[in-house]
Amino acid sequence: MRVRHITHCHRALVFQTPPPLFDNLRCVCHSITLQHLGILTRVVPVKESHTLDIQWDIPPTEPHYRKAPTNYLSHLLGHEGSGSAFALLKARGLVTSLSAGEGGGLSSRGFFGVRVELTEEGNQRVGEVAEVIFKYLDLLRQPGAISEQIYTELTGLQELRFNWRDKLPPYSVTTSLAGAMAHYPDRDLLLAMYHVPQEFDPACIKEYLDHLTPHRARLTWATRAHDQQQQQQNGTTTPITKPAALDNLPPCDLTSEPIYGTKYNVTPIPEPWMKHWTNGVAVPGLHLPSANPFVPDDLSMKAVMGDKEGLPDLLVQGSAARVWQRTDLRFESPKATIVLDFQSPAAYASPESAVCCRLLVKLLADYLNEVAYPAELAGLSYSISNHLAGFQVSCQGYSQKLPVLLDLILDDLANFRVKADRFAVVAEAVAREYANVAYQQPYQWAMYRAELLLNYKRWMIDQYQKVITQLTPESLTAQMPRLMQRMFVEGLMIGNVSPEEASDIVDSAINKLKAGWGSSTIWPGEEKDLRIVKLPAGVTSALVEAGPNPNNENSAVWVTYQVGPDDLRRNALAGLLVQLAKRDAFNQLRTQQQLGYIVHMYGSSDQGVQGISFLIQSDKFSAAHLALRVEVFVRDTIKRIASLPESEFSAGVSELSKAKLEKPKRLSELASRWWAEIAAGTRVFDRQSAEVEVLKTLTPADLATFTHEVMGVSSGTRRKLMVLIKGK
């Protein structure tokens, strides 16, 4: 991944000898001295992860903003296509991601960094991972590697992004412009602010490339294996299976920094590593990228029939698919969004099925990475995700090339086969993903536990953890025909896409699945059926438990009052109640009572079932105390709403109506809004205006009655759920 700015916040910035940054309030020009170069810092992170960061200090790039030298370097070093450092490391099973770019620095110095997420195998071969990165930098030093053709393509991509940039919030544009005005002249202000290169200067690029050498690098290797290795050496734990080091690197003596207690060790980079990195021997398989085939050359707009800002039409309705479409050019952009939701009755039939579906989407994304990365550079994006009824493929970007990208994804899906080497890497990453749930904040765990309670069918994370350790490439291969045997496709296509093109895309998707897997339509009764548990009336349901991380001192509470299934009038009343009460909730529970930094009151929605929810996390009070304060606040709110002045009620209606009628700023925002309606089965595409019309008919008495019914302890109709997570 190529990023313009890259920042990594470690819990402690560790130097062997802290450099003097200021001398009588005068900033020292070189904040990084020779003693801070060529060092390896080993850090023990909180979560289960293995990462390697390589950082160099470089001269400031601001004077060369028209030449953008580090843009060129980050574009190539962070490339993920064929011949890239990432593609080679991924093929060796050593890394799962790589990003490169310039990070924040001082006015006198900048920083350029590379960050990689390591696999278990990569964590044993860190020196080899770094070697590939340094060898790719050596490749860039070869004659012709600083290429005007590549620079021109990069400039074209940045100009394309600049010319068709989605509308940003006014405050964001204003603050960005104000900051940029202090650094760039008026004539270049916008192009410089959005990092569009304007002058190709090979000498300038080479000047910055010359700073990116092994001897000038500072490495930060973060893994919990450092601590395990030291404990093993001290005899305080059972031996680990593999040494957490490379080239027989001896265990390090870890020191705890005084503020957060982060364990670390700082040493010079091992000499054997440095010799490998500087031996001048090229690594086979590394080469510069080819021309990008996804760059669009047709940015024309489709014809729009009817209202410019209309609602989507049901384009396809049958036993195999149900798809909505709208040629929508209200944003005057040659872009489109395509969402295809593949629903299978076998996708969530058991914990094994759910984990297999997760592995499918992760492996599919893994297989696509190298060939689809150029599409992302060219302004296209895609995501593949699993859910409780199957999996979803979505694509966004310039409409001319969007079908090409989608065909690429669907072809890989139709011809999907489990590769044993990639299965091992991806399964390891998924297992780590499950394990890291235990390190979530208590408020996140409370919300997760609430989902388990409220969803009619939901498997638990510990079940997934057991399954992932038992799955093999063969078991996933055996599951695939069952997963793909019967399928229903639900979709949405909006933007610069015609009905004819949308129909062709649907037909192509269905035909590819039929050809690849023999997929047929689902049986009656196998349709997606995602339901929410109806809480008992007149009682409070509660779950009280300790958090998954015994070392976390925070407690949390999540409280919800069920409003009921989707109904415009009740939705409007619930929204108005939240609008009138959320400021008081923040003021009383956080500002005055100082319960914690995380204090929210909000309207919630799950599968079309509405609710009014509270979320609080505290390091000072117990979960029981937090729940009590919520209940006291709710009782006070009921009294306040019962005597609410007409003027305050009208102001609340006006504020909420204005917020609901605010138009979406981007196509992706509109697509998300409409897809939420399809996913929940509500399909009220004009919900915002419809609810505003209902708001106009409400009275203070209506709101008082509703508030007592939903939240009043004596109403007999209140449906309340509390999840209390106890801290250390």
Side-chain angles (χ1 to χ4, degrees):
M1 181 194 306
R2 175 258 179 199
V3 292
R4 177 60 182 86
H5 289 286
I6 180 171
T7 57
H8 306 299
C9 182
H10 292 286
R11 299 186 70 178
L13 181 59
V14 181
F15 292 108
Q16 287 175 292
T17 304
L21 294 182
F22 294 92
D23 180 12
N24 295 327
L25 300 182
R26 290 184 298 106
C27 182
V28 177
C29 288
H30 294 280
S31 59
I32 305 298
T33 61
L34 289 176
Q35 63 181 322
H36 304 129
L37 304 179
I39 62 171
L40 169 66
T41 301
R42 286 180 267 189
V43 179
V44 179
V46 174
K47 291 187 176 182
E48 292 289 346
S49 63
H50 312 304
T51 60
L52 175 67
D53 288 280
I54 307 176
Q55 188 181 71
W56 299 266
D57 75 300
I58 59 175
T61 56
E62 187 176 307
H64 307 294
Y65 69 89
R66 292 180 62 86
K67 303 169 184 177
T70 55
N71 277 29
Y72 184 87
L73 297 175
S74 60
H75 171 70
L76 293 177
L77 196 53
H79 208 282
E80 298 179 12
S82 175
S84 65
F86 173 76
L88 181 59
L89 289 168
K90 177 188 165 189
R92 294 183 182 182
L94 303 181
V95 307
T96 57
S97 72
L98 184 153
S99 57
E102 183 184 353
L106 304 173
S107 60
S108 60
R109 302 299 289 173
F111 296 99
F112 189 92
V114 177
R115 179 182 177 86
V116 292
E117 293 187 10
L118 305 163
T119 63
E120 289 288 349
E121 184 65 25
N123 203 42
Q124 317 302 320
R125 298 157 61 183
V126 171
E128 181 181 342
V129 171
E131 179 185 10
V132 171
I133 294 169
F134 288 122
K135 295 298 186 180
Y136 194 88
L137 288 168
D138 285 344
L139 170 68
L140 298 185
R141 296 185 178 94
Q142 299 302 310
I146 300 179
S147 162
E148 186 170 7
Q149 179 182 348
I150 294 176
Y151 190 91
T152 301
E153 182 179 280
L154 173 61
T155 300
L157 293 174
Q158 292 291 81
E159 288 177 346
L160 186 68
R161 188 175 294 114
F162 174 80
N163 291 333
W164 297 104
R165 194 178 188 89
D166 288 333
K167 187 176 182 179
L168 298 173
Y171 73 86
S172 176
V173 176
T174 303
T175 54
S176 297
L177 277 170
M181 288 171 69
H183 300 277
Y184 309 117
D186 293 348
R187 66 184 178 91
D188 293 333
L189 185 59
L190 290 176
L191 292 179
M193 186 173 77
Y194 292 111
H195 316 297
V196 179
Q198 300 172 64
E199 297 177 11
F200 177 57
D201 187 340
C204 184
I205 296 173
K206 183 179 182 302
E207 176 188 346
Y208 282 85
L209 177 61
D210 288 344
H211 283 78
L212 310 185
T213 66
H215 290 98
R216 292 186 53 82
R218 293 182 296 127
L219 276 63
T220 302
W221 177 14
T223 173
R224 293 172 67 84
H226 296 318
D227 196 28
Q228 295 169 351
Q229 188 185 39
Q230 185 179 52
Q231 291 178 20
Q232 179 189 356
Q233 184 187 36
N234 297 337
T236 56
T237 62
T238 55
I240 53 179
T241 304
K242 295 182 180 180
L246 174 71
D247 294 339
N248 297 314
L249 215 62
C252 57
D253 293 325
L254 298 170
T255 302
S256 295
E257 58 85 29
I259 300 177
Y260 295 103
T262 302
K263 295 180 179 180
Y264 73 95
N265 172 272
V266 182
T267 60
I269 293 174
E271 190 59 30
W273 290 8
M274 194 66 78
K275 287 183 179 178
H276 276 293
W277 301 344
T278 58
N279 61 13
V281 178
V283 173
L286 296 177
H287 59 79
L288 297 177
S290 304
N292 192 328
F294 289 96
V295 178
D297 53 20
D298 181 2
L299 300 173
S300 60
M301 309 283 190
K302 310 293 182 184
V304 178
M305 303 298 293
D307 187 3
K308 181 180 179 181
E309 298 188 8
L311 302 176
D313 298 315
L314 185 57
L315 178 70
V316 177
Q317 173 70 74
S319 59
R322 181 170 54 240
V323 177
W324 283 262
Q325 183 272 341
R326 172 72 188 174
T327 304
D328 196 299
L329 299 179
R330 70 185 72 182
F331 305 104
E332 299 179 347
S333 172
K335 296 180 181 179
T337 293
I338 299 173
V339 180
L340 293 178
D341 200 60
F342 298 90
Q343 299 162 14
S344 165
Y348 206 70
S350 66
E352 290 83 0
S353 299
V355 174
C356 284
C357 195
R358 180 67 176 162
L359 287 171
L360 165 64
V361 301
K362 297 290 282 186
L363 280 167
L364 191 58
D366 182 84
Y367 297 171
L368 285 164
N369 189 83
E370 191 171 319
V371 291
Y373 181 74
E376 294 193 45
L377 291 178
L380 306 181
S381 62
Y382 72 97
S383 66
I384 310 170
S385 58
N386 61 299
H387 51 75
L388 302 187
F391 57 92
Q392 184 179 114
V393 175
S394 63
C395 301
Q396 305 83 33
Y398 302 104
S399 57
Q400 182 201 10
K401 298 292 185 176
L402 208 54
V404 179
L405 174 60
L406 184 60
D407 272 347
L408 193 66
I409 297 171
L410 294 176
D411 284 340
D412 268 28
L413 176 61
N415 299 299
F416 179 84
R417 298 296 181 268
V418 181
K419 302 174 184 177
D421 58 335
R422 299 312 303 166
F423 176 91
V425 172
V426 170
E428 173 196 313
V430 172
R432 192 180 303 139
E433 176 185 301
Y434 294 151
N436 277 331
V437 171
Y439 297 102
Q440 287 182 328
Q441 287 296 316
Y443 80 89
Q444 296 171 308
W445 185 255
M447 297 176 75
Y448 163 70
R449 298 296 280 174
E451 288 180 10
L452 289 177
L453 293 170
L454 290 173
N455 280 266
Y456 179 72
K457 184 177 183 180
R458 183 70 182 266
W459 308 119
M460 296 186 293
I461 198 73
D462 56 343
Q463 295 172 317
Y464 295 159
Q465 287 181 283
K466 291 177 183 177
V467 168
I468 194 67
T469 61
Q470 301 167 358
L471 284 178
T472 63
E474 292 74 23
S475 55
L476 177 57
T477 298
Q479 177 67 20
M480 284 300 302
R482 290 191 287 272
L483 176 64
M484 306 298 292
Q485 181 180 14
R486 292 191 300 279
M487 195 74 68
F488 182 77
V489 180
E490 196 163 35
L492 172 68
M493 303 185 202
I494 65 169
N496 195 39
V497 56
S498 68
E500 295 76 18
E501 290 170 330
S503 294
D504 290 344
I505 289 172
V506 176
D507 291 342
S508 175
I510 293 172
N511 291 334
K512 286 179 186 294
L513 292 185
K514 188 179 294 184
W517 293 100
S519 300
S520 59
T521 58
I522 59 176
W523 294 111
E526 287 188 322
E527 298 88 354
K528 180 177 71 172
D529 183 21
L530 304 180
R531 288 180 280 171
I532 300 299
V533 173
K534 185 178 183 179
L535 295 171
V539 299
T540 296
S541 306
L543 171 66
V544 183
E545 66 179 19
N549 184 356
N551 296 319
N552 197 314
E553 297 180 349
N554 293 286
S555 296
V557 64
W558 184 84
V559 181
T560 194
Y561 299 85
Q562 272 190 348
V563 173
D566 187 58
D567 176 88
L568 289 178
R569 187 173 188 277
R570 292 179 68 80
N571 294 352
L573 285 164
L576 183 57
L577 176 56
V578 172
Q579 177 71 26
L580 290 168
K582 64 182 180 181
R583 281 193 289 265
D584 285 341
F586 188 86
N587 181 49
Q588 293 182 31
L589 300 177
R590 179 180 174 181
T591 306
Q592 295 182 23
Q593 300 177 29
Q594 297 186 1
L595 297 183
Y597 282 105
I598 298 176
V599 176
H600 296 294
M601 177 186 182
Y602 60 98
S604 56
S605 179
D606 194 356
Q607 306 301 335
V609 176
Q610 310 302 312
I612 298 172
S613 301
F614 293 82
L615 181 66
I616 306 177
Q617 178 169 297
S618 175
D619 62 351
K620 295 185 291 186
F621 299 99
S622 67
H625 180 78
L626 301 178
L628 175 62
R629 300 319 304 170
V630 170
E631 180 63 24
V632 170
F633 173 79
V634 165
R635 294 186 184 187
D636 291 343
T637 298
I638 293 172
K639 295 176 184 178
R640 188 174 76 85
I641 295 297
S643 58
L644 191 70
E646 179 74 36
S647 59
E648 190 174 343
F649 175 86
S650 298
V653 170
S654 177
E655 290 176 6
L656 183 58
S657 298
K658 182 179 179 181
K660 284 184 175 293
L661 293 178
E662 184 174 351
K663 294 183 178 181
K665 303 296 190 298
R666 295 174 293 277
L667 181 65
S668 59
E669 186 181 341
L670 181 64
S672 296
R673 179 182 291 183
W674 285 349
W675 179 253
E677 295 291 339
I678 296 171
T682 49
R683 304 168 194 166
V684 184
F685 297 114
D686 60 345
R687 176 176 301 279
Q688 289 68 33
S689 59
E691 289 186 355
V692 167
E693 290 303 311
V694 173
L695 276 171
K696 295 176 182 178
T697 69
L698 300 179
T699 66
D702 293 333
L703 182 61
T705 301
F706 172 82
T707 304
H708 176 70
E709 173 198 329
V710 172
M711 291 182 155
V713 68
S714 62
S715 68
T717 56
R718 181 171 81 165
R719 303 178 188 277
K720 178 182 177 182
L721 170 64
M722 302 189 304
V723 178
L724 287 75
I725 305 300
K726 299 185 293 185
K728 181 178 178 181

